[in-house]
Amino acid sequence: AHPYETDMIEVTFDHVVAPPGTPAESWRSAAYALLEGASDVLEIARDDIDATLYRRSARPGIVLFDVVPGGAGHAMQIAERFDDVIRAALRRAGGCDCGPETACYGCLRNFRNQRYHGDLSRRGALEVLEPAASAERTT
């Protein structure tokens, strides 16, 4: 392993938005919806950003980060326009023709997340993101 410096944004949700017990699959689906939304609205190449899940105490969270070593400023753009990103993520997760219990390459799936394809669902992403879109956020 080696140190990897890059730009990142930490996204957390309070208990009102994301009640305890929200499945990890829903969080992962929300993370990929945010990445796709950011790529769409900010015109960032999807291969230049990625995400991971983490848990700080009892609160789950999502970290979005630049894949470009040293950072390319994409995480900062996402933070500055997070309202636009979350709206684009909701459009992506809510506007696809695949079943809500699944995902496809038109909404959440891509080559880089193929190990999670069976876990991704549009419904899961919407469970996390719809309440967050109307609540205050902390980044």
Side-chain angles (χ1 to χ4, degrees):
H2 66 281
Y4 187 82
E5 292 186 27
T6 192
D7 297 332
M8 61 173 263
I9 174 176
E10 175 185 341
V11 181
T12 59
F13 301 94
D14 65 24
H15 296 304
V16 174
V17 171
T22 302
E25 293 83 3
S26 295
W27 287 105
R28 190 169 319 282
S29 298
Y32 285 113
L34 287 171
L35 289 170
E36 296 297 339
S39 180
D40 289 348
V41 75
L42 301 176
E43 298 179 358
I44 298 170
R46 179 57 189 84
D47 288 341
D48 288 351
I49 52 176
D50 208 350
T52 189
L53 303 180
Y54 78 98
R55 184 171 293 280
R56 181 184 300 177
S57 34
R59 285 176 26 161
I62 299 169
V63 173
L64 306 173
F65 58 92
D66 290 3
V67 175
V68 180
H74 300 314
M76 183 64 81
Q77 285 182 295
I78 293 169
E80 289 171 353
R81 295 194 48 205
F82 193 74
D83 292 337
D84 295 332
V85 170
I86 202 164
R87 280 193 294 274
L90 287 168
R91 279 192 304 274
R92 180 64 85 114
C96 192
D97 292 333
C98 67
E101 70 286 344
T102 190
C104 69
Y105 281 89
C107 56
L108 305 181
R109 290 182 180 184
N110 64 42
F111 177 76
R112 294 181 81 172
N113 66 15
Q114 64 185 337
R115 79 170 100 169
Y116 303 116
H117 284 182
D119 295 336
L120 299 179
S121 75
R122 295 185 313 109
R123 180 180 294 135
L126 294 171
E127 280 177 11
V128 173
L129 296 177
E130 282 179 335
S134 60
E136 286 188 38
R137 62 180 166 83
T138 304
T139 58

